[in-house]
Amino acid sequence: MKNNNILQDSHGRDHTYLRISLTERCNLRCSYCMPADGVPLSPKSHLMSYEEIYDIAKTFVDHGVTKIRLTGGEPLVRKDIPVILEKLATLPVELSMTSNAIIIDKFIDVLKINRIKSINVSLDSLDREKFKHITRRDQFDKVYNNILLLVKEGFQVKINAVLMKGFNDNEIIDFIKATKDLPIAMRFIEFMPFDGNKWDMSKMVSYQDVMEQVNQAFPESQIERLQDAPNDTSKNYKIKGYKGSFAIISSVTNPFCDTCNRLRLTANGQLKNCLFSSTESDLLKTLRSGQPIEPIIQKAVQAKLKVRGGMNTIEKLQEPKLHTKNRSMITIGG
Ligand code: SAM
Ligand code: SF4
């Protein structure tokens, strides 16, 4: 770790992974991510410019960040995305992106030139009508074809599906079967509570629910538990002989906070020390005032709570007043 270790928190966790949200806008309207009538958008002048994104990112990299993921909203709707990528690609970090892939076919070369090798794509259903229902947009074909394009173009592709009871939990096995011929990592995400997404524990499909279906659908000898990468948020599996793999991200029933190495920067320049924390630190204001941002970063990292922004039990997670103080997911970035 370079300089003094401002990215280590009081629980000994080193933060080497920064997720940067580039925009609060999106070309989908996923119901688990944002309220139906949208979210109040920050005025453009309150959003980070590409120079400011670079300056803040560089500070984090100088202090030990080795991985940056770009997210949103939908990161590709930002007009200056090619310049942002070009600037960030000059930093010594692994760059990656989470996208809904609707317009990603227009950016294949830009992504390759700027050494993005791994893309996470959201896809919650393999059924066109259900996709339209959950995203409130009729874009299934575009997303599915672009996933195939990304695979063909040699990107490492992870598919994120947020599972909801009675909506897409009957597609878990179909999603896993799609990994037979496609070298993708299918990731099932437990539905998490954020402001405006009408979360309710009874809608959530848990890690255990997924594994019950898997154990019924495949013989034990065919199910292989894979080694999880350090700081991995997912429990990884594979069906023997399949090209791809699958995983479960169980932030609700089985939080992975002990090994958390993530910090989040919102599109309006606020540092969030945890996805679930409602407190934020204004890096953009400090940067614009010409002051160093390191002391603010250090203070925010030190203040990071041990588990899920203080919601250390399922009971606390179920208290609406605790998660409605947080932002909607669309303005955090996942
Ligand atoms: N627009 C891009 C996309 O959809 O991939 C990037 C931003 S999106 C906010 C990032 C990730 O957050 C997506 O994989 C999405 O499924 C996930 N997400 C959003 N709301 C969620 C929730 N309530 N619980 C779990 N995951 C959620
Ligand atoms: Fe947009 Fe992604 Fe949120 Fe869906 S999950 S509304 S695609 S930001």
Side-chain angles (χ1 to χ4, degrees), residues 111-311:
L111 294 169
K112 283 187 179 171
I113 291 165
N114 294 301
R115 40 177 201 86
I116 294 210
K117 297 192 174 66
S118 156
I119 311 265
N120 291 5
V121 178
S122 297
L123 179 70
D124 306 303
S125 178
L126 292 166
D127 176 289
R128 197 177 160 184
E129 284 309 309
K130 277 201 212 174
F131 179 93
K132 187 172 155 189
H133 175 78
I134 195 80
T135 64
R136 305 179 179 116
R137 295 289 184 271
D138 192 6
Q139 295 280 11
F140 173 80
D141 294 342
K142 199 79 205 140
V143 173
Y144 194 76
N145 288 331
N146 276 345
I147 290 172
L148 299 181
L149 175 71
L150 288 169
V151 170
K152 185 169 144 261
E153 292 290 340
F155 291 94
Q156 269 172 266
V157 180
K158 293 182 183 168
I159 307 292
N160 291 339
V162 177
L163 292 177
M164 276 159 292
K165 275 215 173 108
F167 173 70
N168 57 0
D169 52 343
N170 62 343
E171 294 191 66
I172 293 171
I173 301 304
D174 291 342
F175 270 123
I176 295 176
K177 287 188 174 161
T179 68
K180 183 170 186 209
D181 297 317
L182 279 175
I184 52 173
M186 187 63 226
R187 299 163 6 126
F188 301 112
I189 307 179
E190 288 181 350
F191 179 29
M192 298 182 278
F194 295 95
D195 189 33
N197 75 356
K198 302 206 174 97
W199 184 82
D200 170 344
M201 185 80 181
S202 67
K203 292 184 195 160
M204 193 204 59
V205 180
S206 68
Y207 177 26
Q208 197 186 338
D209 297 333
V210 175
M211 287 317 292
E212 271 169 23
Q213 287 202 31
V214 171
N215 288 323
Q216 271 185 10
F218 300 98
E220 202 186 327
S221 58
Q222 245 192 303
I223 308 166
E224 191 181 338
R225 177 76 168 92
L226 302 174
Q227 175 79 46
D228 303 326
N231 307 107
D232 213 337
T233 53
S234 51
K235 311 264 187 318
N236 293 272
Y237 293 85
K238 183 180 176 66
I239 302 300
K240 282 188 190 151
Y242 281 22
K243 288 188 180 158
S245 61
F246 69 96
I248 301 136
I249 301 182
S250 53
S251 321
V252 175
T253 63
N254 214 339
F256 28 78
C257 306
D258 282 354
T259 56
C260 181
N261 64 344
R262 289 143 197 254
L263 294 170
R264 292 174 164 83
L265 181 63
T266 65
N268 64 347
Q270 308 296 308
L271 180 64
K272 282 177 80 71
N273 63 13
C274 170
L275 181 58
F276 291 101
S277 169
S278 52
T279 51
E280 301 180 349
S281 308
D282 197 339
L283 297 189
L284 187 56
K285 190 167 149 215
T286 310
L287 184 81
R288 285 183 179 175
S289 72
Q291 301 297 309
I293 59 172
E294 279 97 335
I296 317 281
I297 296 173
Q298 185 164 28
K299 199 166 162 209
V301 171
Q302 280 303 307
K304 177 158 171 160
L305 297 174
K306 197 163 188 292
V307 177
R308 268 191 317 235
M311 292 187 277

Side-chain angles (χ1 to χ4, degrees), residues 18-156:
L18 179 67
R19 299 169 70 101
I20 306 179
S21 173
L22 298 182
T23 176
E24 299 168 351
R25 293 177 186 273
C26 190
N27 41 9
L28 291 182
R29 294 281 179 278
C30 305
S31 62
Y32 52 77
C33 179
M34 65 187 292
D37 45 2
V39 288
L41 297 173
S42 303
K44 195 160 180 247
S45 61
H46 292 202
L47 300 178
M48 296 182 290
S49 67
Y50 72 82
E51 291 98 337
E52 289 164 339
I53 292 171
Y54 173 80
D55 288 347
I56 296 177
K58 182 170 184 317
T59 304
F60 278 93
V61 173
D62 286 346
H63 286 277
V65 159
T66 55
K67 182 172 172 186
I68 292 180
R69 175 173 296 280
L70 301 177
T71 175
E74 172 50 36
L76 295 175
V77 302
R78 203 166 144 149
K79 295 268 177 324
D80 55 357
I81 182 76
V83 191
I84 295 173
L85 288 175
E86 201 181 304
K87 294 276 288 174
L88 293 178
T90 64
L91 295 172
V93 274
E94 180 191 332
L95 264 187
S96 56
M97 183 181 282
T98 301
S99 166
N100 60 31
I102 291 180
I103 53 171
I104 211 162
D105 48 313
K106 300 187 175 65
F107 295 93
I108 299 293
D109 290 342
V110 176
L111 294 169
K112 283 187 179 171
I113 291 165
N114 294 301
R115 40 177 201 86
I116 294 210
K117 297 192 174 66
S118 156
I119 311 265
N120 291 5
V121 178
S122 297
L123 179 70
D124 306 303
S125 178
L126 292 166
D127 176 289
R128 197 177 160 184
E129 284 309 309
K130 277 201 212 174
F131 179 93
K132 187 172 155 189
H133 175 78
I134 195 80
T135 64
R136 305 179 179 116
R137 295 289 184 271
D138 192 6
Q139 295 280 11
F140 173 80
D141 294 342
K142 199 79 205 140
V143 173
Y144 194 76
N145 288 331
N146 276 345
I147 290 172
L148 299 181
L149 175 71
L150 288 169
V151 170
K152 185 169 144 261
E153 292 290 340
F155 291 94
Q156 269 172 266

